[in-house]
Amino acid sequence: MIVGGRVVAPDRVLDDGWLIVAGGKIVQVGSGTPPDVGSLDYVDADGCLIVPGFIDTHCHGGGGGSFSSANPEELLRAVRAHRRHGTTTMLGSLVSDPISVLRDQIAALRELVQEGELAGIHLEGPFISKARCGAHDPATLIEPDTATVNALLGAGRGDIRMVTLAPELHGGIKAVRQLAESGVIAAIGHTDGVEDQIIPAIDAGASVATHLFNAMRPLHHREPGPIGALLDDERITVELICDLVHVHPTVLRLAARHAGKGRTVLITDAMSATDAADGSYILGRLEVDVRDGVATLAGNGSLAGSTLTMDAAFRNLVRGAGINLLDAVRATSGRPAELLGIADRTGSLRAGLAADVVVLDRDLRPVKVLRQGEWVTEAAAATLSATAPLGSAVEGGVSVSDG
């Protein structure tokens, strides 16, 4: 039983809240005096904020490990780096590579999916625009065709959950329809398309905007392009990289408020340097320099993913962009769970769901992470005994308005 915290339930914040966990599941959530249920282990949250485990649908690596690697230890290192920061569910994202290479990478990631370490695989490319390829090697980019899409989906054996593509490419709309009919999320991103090329893709089944604003034709008052079309269409869930580098706080606030809690999802787009030291790294086939936590291509200085973690994204949305706690939790847990079709298993603090829980101190930094009822060995901010009062590691509680 976790007691004495501020529990962010789906519809309100429960002051003096508590929750009971057993068998890897949340059994009961409430506030005030908890029930007398006998000899449970007790954790005193001491006013800390208790939120659902974060869900990241777009992540390339962390802790020095890349999801493009075939090394199982490196793959697990990336997963664990983000888990320490409260991400209890995530997709492993791959950048563009030749099809033969992608098939090998997919096979390696499938092992983690089958073991329950990842919730699936996200292919960011290779069907993207050379004009907006960002940190993808232009030499690896191709136009989609039925056979190639089938080959990649076949390699995934049902574990590919999302594919990002530029719909203006020859065969793009057909590929969107093919993905949607296969039960795979078709995401629009790395696109130089105009609105008249984006809307048919949405009509064909595209349902996600891959990191809105980044690596796409800019918004213009006479040609709204992909940003205007995607942000304004109620069928589209909008990804936002909330590191306050990729998108200005004011623009984040505008986008999140327009899309609303039903369509806003925070992602990290994190690469291997996340939760690791500055220096030189490789993203896909390209060299990346990381200085002061900002990742840029060595060749031209373009942003190359991020070194963001989901707890930092949550803090930035609340404190940097001024979004209230309930909507921030929706963007980091609830809506991504719905997007992946797992909201009946995780994504909110409700009885019957997996015990995926993050305890955040007053600075909104994780001091305890619970995944499927098991404490993560090392939280990002502190490691505490399961029976120790959390207040011993923080000053006071959370001083954040519910909004």
Side-chain angles (χ1 to χ4, degrees), residues 51-339:
V51 300
F54 302 127
I55 300 175
D56 191 358
T57 59
H58 188 152
C59 179
H60 296 280
S66 169
F67 286 136
S68 295
S69 171
N71 184 327
E73 292 183 2
E74 184 174 342
L75 298 176
L76 275 174
R77 186 162 71 248
V79 171
R80 289 167 180 164
H82 287 278
R83 198 164 288 165
R84 289 195 298 271
H85 288 269
T87 298
T88 54
T89 303
M90 66 192 306
L91 298 185
S93 300
L94 296 173
V95 295
S96 301
D97 255 317
I99 299 302
S100 59
V101 175
L102 283 173
R103 292 174 79 165
D104 290 341
Q105 293 170 345
I106 290 167
L109 286 181
R110 281 198 71 248
E111 296 295 323
L112 269 68
V113 177
Q114 297 303 306
E115 292 167 3
E117 301 289 348
L118 291 175
I121 301 167
H122 165 219
L123 302 183
E124 190 180 15
F127 314 122
I128 61 175
S129 167
K130 289 185 179 181
R132 304 288 175 182
C133 61
H136 294 245
D137 184 353
T140 66
L141 306 184
I142 60 174
E143 294 180 331
D145 61 74
T146 301
T148 305
V149 173
N150 276 336
L152 290 173
L153 295 184
R157 300 183 188 179
D159 289 336
I160 294 176
R161 304 299 306 278
M162 186 186 305
V163 176
T164 294
L165 75 166
E168 72 272 16
L169 298 179
H170 178 72
I173 302 299
K174 185 177 180 180
V176 167
R177 187 173 293 110
Q178 182 181 356
L179 291 167
E181 291 176 352
S182 299
V184 176
I185 298 167
I188 297 175
H190 288 273
T191 172
D192 198 40
V194 296
E195 185 183 52
D196 288 347
Q197 295 169 313
I198 302 300
I199 292 176
I202 301 172
D203 292 339
S207 58
V208 169
T210 294
H211 45 52
L212 190 75
F213 301 107
N214 300 116
M216 58 178 61
R217 178 186 288 266
L219 178 71
H220 190 277
H221 57 282
R222 287 191 294 273
E223 169 44 58
I227 295 171
L230 295 166
L231 184 57
D232 207 39
D233 197 304
E234 293 295 322
R235 295 170 290 179
I236 294 295
T237 293
V238 172
E239 288 184 353
L240 295 169
I241 306 173
C242 197
D243 60 355
L244 309 184
V245 174
H246 281 75
V247 184
H248 189 280
T250 298
V251 179
L252 276 170
R253 183 165 53 252
L254 289 171
R257 286 180 174 172
H258 185 83
K261 62 183 180 181
R263 297 200 295 127
T264 302
V265 164
L266 297 195
I267 60 166
T268 63
D269 195 20
M271 47 87 70
S272 55
T274 303
D275 205 33
D278 283 359
S280 295
Y281 292 84
I282 299 295
L283 178 60
R285 294 168 170 257
L286 302 180
E287 186 177 346
V288 175
D289 289 331
V290 180
R291 299 290 179 268
D292 298 324
V294 177
T296 57
L297 286 182
N300 60 21
S302 296
L303 289 172
S306 83
T307 60
L308 184 66
T309 54
M310 286 296 288
D311 63 312
F314 182 88
R315 286 194 298 276
N316 290 339
L317 191 66
V318 172
R319 292 188 166 164
I323 301 300
N324 69 68
L325 285 176
L326 291 177
D327 288 355
V329 167
R330 278 283 298 168
T332 52
S333 301
R335 181 56 196 151
E338 293 171 352
L339 180 65

Side-chain angles (χ1 to χ4, degrees), residues 362-374:
R362 71 171 184 175
D363 293 321
L364 302 182
R365 297 180 183 277
V367 292
K368 265 300 199 184
V369 179
L370 194 67
R371 182 176 185 266
Q372 297 179 8
E374 298 289 337

